[in-house]
Structures are given as C-alpha cells and as structure tokens.
Amino acid sequence: MPYESGPMTEAMYYVLLSLLRPNHGYQLMNEIEKVSKGRIKMGPGTLYGVLTRLLKDKLIIVVNDDGRRKTYSITEDGRKALEIEYERLISMVNDGKIIMEDRDE
Amino acid sequence: MSKSVKKFMPGDLWDFGKNESWFSDMALKGLHLQSIGSWFAVFEKGQPQKTKYRIEVLEESPSQEQLELYRECGWDLVANKQMFYVFSSPEELNAPELQTDPMEQGFTFKMIDRQLKKNMIAISLLFLSFLLSQFHLSFQDEPYLFLIKQRAFTLVAIIVPYIYIFIESIRGYLAVKKTRGSLLMGIPINHKRKWKLSYIISVIIHVYLIGLIALLFITPFYAVMRRETYTYKTVEDIPVISIYDIEKGPVYDYSHSIDYDWSLVSPVQYIIYEDGYIEGQMQGDFSGAYFKTSIQTRYYELALRGISEGLLNDLIHRYYRHYEEKLIEIENERFDRLYAASGEGNKLIFASFDNKVIYIKYSGKADLDYIISLIEKKYNL
C-alpha cells in the first residue's frame, strides 16, 4: 500500500531519510541532525511519535529487537513514499525558481 | 522517608498546558510530582525547585531505550496514568523540548481523540436511556405528592452527577479536538497556561457533587430507619386530632394505626387511621344503638414552605376524586387555605397553614365547623 496521506511533515521526511540505513532510536536523533547538517534538532518525543506512526503505516519495520533496543529500517513502501515526496519537493523548488527570475528582471 | 502530599487533581490529563503549569507551580513550592491516581496527584515534599513538566501520549508503554534517550535529553519519567506519561526536567538544565513538531504531536492526539469520542458516545447513550427510563415521571399529575417522597430526592441526586459526567465528556472531547486542531495547524502547546481559576471552580463542583452523592447514599437508609408503623404509640402523642377529641362519649371497639415517614423535603409525615363505635339514640328495634365513627388523617410538615400550596392541590386531586359533594373554599384567616366537602357520610377537610398540610376524612356525627375549630385549637391557630 503506497503512502497517500499527502505532504509529509519535516520530522517524518527526515526520519525516513535517516532510516535508509537501519538504525536504532538512540542514534537516530544524532543521525537526523547529521543528515540535516545540524538544521534539525528533533525532540525525543517527536522522534518516537513519528516512529510509532510510521510503524503503523508500515513505512518502516523493526529489523532487530534484542529486548533492550529496537533497530528500525525503511520498507519498500517507505522508500516509495520517500521518493514521491522527494519528487514533490523538487517540483516545488523548481516551481519556486520564478522568484529568482523575478529578481533577475 | 520524605513526606508525601496528596492533592485533588481536577480535570483530566489531556489538559496538557494547565496540568504542566500546575505541576511546575507546585515544584516551586517544594512539592514534586510523584504519581497520579484517578482523583489525586501525589507530591513529594522537598526543596523548592524550578521544574519543567511535559505530558506525553504514548500508545505503548515506553521501552527502556526510549526512556534512556529521554533521560539523555534531560527528561525523567515521574508519573504515568493510562496512556499519559509525565516527564520532568530542572529548568536550569535547559533541556531541549520533547516535542519539536506540533503537527506530529497533533497526530499523537488521534488516539485520545478516538477514545474520548467513544467515551462520549457511550455516556450519551447511557444518559439517554436513563432519561427514557424515567420518562414516565413527566406524566406525573401529582408532582408534589411525588416530591415529598424520598425517592424523588434520590432521583435528583442521581441525575445531577449524571448530567455533570455527560457535560464533562463532551467538554473533554471538544477540548481535545481543539488542541489537536491547533497542533495540526502548527501552533505548539502553551506549557504555562493559567490553571488557578479552573482549579477552584472544579474543586467547588466536585465538593458539591461528592456532598450530593453522600446524601444520595445516606438518606435512603435514614428514611428507612425513620419510617415506622407505630403500634405502641397512641394518637395523643402525635400532633393530629384524635377521634377522642371529636367524640364526646366513650368509643368502643377502638382500633388505630399510625404510619410515619421521613424525607428531606417533608421530614414529618403521618398517615393515621382510627375507628370505633359510639353510643347513639337507641330505637325501638335496637337499630342505631351504636354508630361507626372513623377518621383518617394525612399530616405533613414541610421543609420548604413554598410547596405547601402545590401539595394541598395534589391532595385534593387525589382524595377528592369521586366524591359527590361539592368542595368549597372556606374563608378563614387562621389558615393559608382551607377547603371542605361535607356530605351525609363523610366530611373531607384540606387545610394548609405555616409549613403544615393536612387532609382529614371523617365519617361520623360531628359537624364540620366543630372539627375545624378542633384543628384551630390543636395547632394554636
């Protein structure tokens, strides 16, 4: 089932992005900060909220659970959703280029 | 061991902002949140401290790893109730917020939203079926006779908390919907919402409700305890006129019964029957040697004087029915109202004065005016 809930929140986008490489919650927060080049400092509450939601929507799965910590990974659906969102963002940015053209004139 | 302080906790945890700022204000007084029960929050006495509190909704209980991450960020789990988890952090630590994305937080509200909606529907259905089950009451054509029964008060005592729960469930649902709506629009929760006024209002409402519920439980027992059928008491002990007051000669074959009832609205209620035989003028054929005489009295003292008129009307409605003699109002300044019907056999008197209402049905030889004069004398009117 492809993701059809419209535009993603920034938090959701970056969690999916960071889970292209399997990771556990604890390190995910640092990973997100790294991936966003320090722009996003996600609160742990938000992080676990997103993880719960993504698990429910089957965009990510738990690949390893040793009882102490869970390792998450993106699913095929998740990857598709991420690609769709990426395309959407790209066209948004492209469409937004008229701002620059306006400025040039 | 340090001391614990219990404090009444109004409202539900879903009112995040208010509860968070309440906990913070308590911590500033040296009361640190320890646990949350269904009615009370428990605080541990300690040093005053500037503390931030955050309430989180978690669908599943948090894993060890999750709690560790929270702790790493400066947030410790202090209390938990159902799906609500309360975290605290000393203000000087300047810990990063737990929730950095209002929209994502809005999604976590979906569950509370759904649960409160379910609650609201269930409570509404219960309330509706309760109202329907009591629907026959709206057909009461003698409401005051019903009102003086303790049962009437019990009904009110049940309905009021019911209405409160009903309103609260709707209010809760709408409040959560609103919070969720503003989160989804990107407006974060105000962690410093004012709580004092709504706290005080809530305490007053709860004290009132608890008092009402306590009354609800106590008064039926009390009413049953007070309700009596006296067999040892004589009518002279009771503030009504007796057959002995009316009849001048001896009364033979006398029998009587006295019933007493109690309710909040009418704490003194007597139903009294007396009958016997008096000597008459003997005829040649021995008939008429003895006459039957009887009196039935219903006597009410009311806690609310305002309902005496209504009660009098209801008594007339119930006991004057099927009586062929005309009921006439008698002008008598000693009574608030006085009605009588007088026929061959029976004489009916309906009277109200002060907070008292009386209905008398007499069958015997004495005349109406005489009985009314006895009533006046009995109650010093």
Side-chain angles (χ1 to χ4, degrees):
Chain A
M1 183 200 77
Y3 179 76
E4 280 169 0
S5 298
M8 293 180 185
T9 61
E10 197 175 63
M12 179 181 171
Y13 183 76
Y14 276 97
V15 170
L16 281 175
L17 206 58
S18 309
L19 282 178
L20 286 173
R21 269 199 315 213
N23 211 335
H24 54 86
Y26 202 76
Q27 253 174 29
L28 204 52
M29 226 166 55
N30 302 325
E31 183 67 18
I32 289 165
E33 199 174 341
K34 215 171 82 190
V35 170
S36 68
K37 301 181 186 68
R39 193 174 66 84
I40 292 174
K41 292 184 173 65
M42 194 178 291
T46 300
L47 175 66
Y48 275 97
V50 173
L51 287 175
T52 310
R53 201 159 64 79
L54 292 181
L55 275 173
K56 229 193 238 167
D57 290 345
K58 296 195 172 65
L59 300 181
I60 60 169
I61 46 163
V62 177
V63 287
N64 188 26
D65 185 354
D66 64 3
R68 244 189 58 74
R69 61 186 184 192
K70 289 175 181 167
T71 310
Y72 303 90
S73 178
I74 195 164
T75 62
E76 206 42 52
D77 281 347
R79 196 180 283 269
K80 258 182 227 153
L82 195 57
E83 276 164 23
I84 293 168
E85 181 67 4
Y86 175 75
E87 294 299 334
R88 193 182 70 86
L89 291 172
I90 288 291
S91 44
M92 275 174 80
V93 169
N94 284 336
D95 296 346
K97 278 183 181 150
I98 45 174
I99 304 173
M100 297 301 175
E101 287 162 16
D102 265 10
R103 208 183 278 172
D104 292 343
E105 276 170 20
Chain B
M1 242 193 77
S2 52
K3 264 192 179 169
S4 294
V5 180
K6 260 189 182 181
K7 272 188 185 282
F8 172 68
M9 206 178 125
D12 277 311
L13 274 166
W14 45 255
D15 210 338
F16 284 15
K18 263 184 205 158
N19 282 309
E20 287 165 355
S21 75
W22 181 49
F23 297 150
S24 290
D25 286 359
M26 291 298 109
L28 214 52
K29 287 188 198 167
L31 297 174
H32 305 285
L33 183 67
Q34 204 175 27
S35 66
I36 296 165
S38 31
W39 291 89
F40 294 93
V42 181
F43 297 88
E44 195 179 23
K45 260 190 177 168
Q47 290 300 314
Q49 210 174 355
K50 283 188 174 176
T51 313
K52 286 194 279 193
Y53 289 90
R54 295 292 178 265
I55 301 168
E56 295 255 292
V57 201
L58 302 176
E59 269 179 64
E60 292 163 22
S61 54
S63 62
Q64 210 49 40
E65 184 192 12
Q66 185 172 357
L67 289 178
E68 252 168 56
L69 183 61
Y70 278 54
R71 208 172 297 131
E72 187 102 333
C73 296
W75 295 95
D76 285 316
L77 178 64
V78 284
N80 154 244
K81 182 188 165 188
Q82 290 149 12
M83 54 185 166
F84 298 100
Y85 292 80
V86 187
F87 294 88
S88 80
S89 176
E91 206 149 315
E92 74 256 18
L93 209 64
N94 235 340
E97 278 299 329
L98 288 177
Q99 293 289 340
T100 47
D101 193 322
M103 233 168 136
E104 282 294 343
Q105 196 180 7
F107 294 141
T108 66
F109 266 64
K110 203 171 167 183
M111 208 179 29
I112 325 178
D113 205 53
R114 209 181 302 144
Q115 192 159 333
L116 286 178
K117 194 179 194 168
K118 250 191 254 165
N119 272 358
M120 187 183 65
I121 290 168
I123 287 166
S124 303
L125 285 178
L126 265 175
F127 186 58
L128 208 72
S129 58
F130 177 73
L131 281 186
L132 280 177
S133 73
Q134 302 298 330
F135 191 60
H136 63 277
L137 291 180
S138 55
F139 293 121
Q140 281 282 341
D141 51 0
E142 289 157 353
Y144 292 94
L145 274 171
F146 175 68
L147 190 67
I148 56 165
K149 297 252 193 305
Q150 188 51 34
R151 201 155 56 86
F153 181 77
T154 305
L155 193 68
V156 172
I158 293 171
I159 280 181
V160 171
Y162 236 123
I163 291 174
Y164 173 74
I165 292 168
F166 179 59
I167 292 172
E168 272 303 284
S169 73
I170 293 176
R171 212 175 62 93
Y173 174 68
L174 293 178
V176 165
K177 215 176 173 60
K178 199 174 144 203
T179 311
R180 184 178 169 219
S182 60
L183 280 170
L184 289 177
M185 282 192 312
I187 303 162
I189 282 171
N190 175 7
H191 302 294
K192 291 203 155 64
R193 265 188 82 184
K194 291 201 168 41
W195 55 269
K196 257 184 198 142
L197 184 65
S198 58
Y199 186 93
I200 290 166
I201 292 172
S202 183
V203 166
I204 291 170
I205 290 175
H206 278 86
V207 165
Y208 169 74
L209 280 177
I210 288 164
L212 200 65
I213 290 165
L215 269 178
L216 160 74
F217 275 102
I218 295 162
T219 50
F221 290 110
Y222 188 68
V224 168
M225 246 169 56
R226 295 290 302 267
R227 189 175 300 145
E228 270 177 87
T229 300
Y230 297 115
T231 43
Y232 55 91
K233 252 192 187 177
T234 61
V235 178
E236 282 120 74
D237 303 328
I238 290 158
V240 295
I241 49 172
S242 160
I243 211 159
Y244 287 103
D245 298 327
I246 300 173
E247 310 299 352
K248 280 149 192 137
V251 179
Y252 302 104
D253 234 4
Y254 173 78
S255 70
H256 78 292
S257 74
I258 303 169
D259 283 296
Y260 169 78
D261 206 349
W262 176 95
S263 80
L264 270 183
V265 178
S266 173
V268 178
Q269 304 179 22
Y270 280 110
I271 302 173
I272 296 151
Y273 292 96
E274 288 180 288
D275 63 32
Y277 291 87
I278 52 164
E279 278 175 70
Q281 215 74 44
M282 208 196 319
Q283 311 286 322
D285 58 355
F286 289 100
S287 71
Y290 291 97
F291 288 104
K292 184 164 177 153
T293 177
S294 74
I295 183 166
Q296 179 197 129
T297 307
R298 284 167 191 271
Y299 171 79
Y300 304 94
E301 282 177 20
L302 302 171
L304 307 166
R305 201 181 162 171
I307 66 165
S308 68
E309 173 139 2
L311 183 59
L312 191 73
N313 288 340
D314 279 1
L315 285 169
I316 290 170
H317 183 267
R318 181 172 294 181
Y319 297 108
Y320 175 64
R321 233 188 284 190
H322 312 308
Y323 196 71
E324 56 214 41
E325 301 301 327
K326 224 179 146 197
L327 187 73
I328 37 172
E329 175 153 22
I330 297 168
E331 292 293 332
N332 186 328
E333 59 187 14
R334 289 169 173 154
F335 294 88
D336 290 338
R337 281 170 73 201
L338 178 62
Y339 291 89
S342 173
E344 270 298 296
N346 295 328
K347 293 170 185 71
L348 309 187
I349 299 169
F350 299 92
S352 69
F353 48 93
D354 302 330
N355 64 332
K356 299 174 183 73
V357 177
I358 295 183
Y359 158 62
I360 293 172
K361 181 182 178 186
Y362 168 73
S363 53
K365 289 283 179 194
D367 66 16
L368 197 65
D369 290 339
Y370 179 61
I371 298 169
I372 292 171
S373 74
L374 285 176
I375 299 173
E376 289 169 3
K377 223 188 281 169
K378 185 89 193 175
Y379 302 104
N380 300 317
L381 296 175

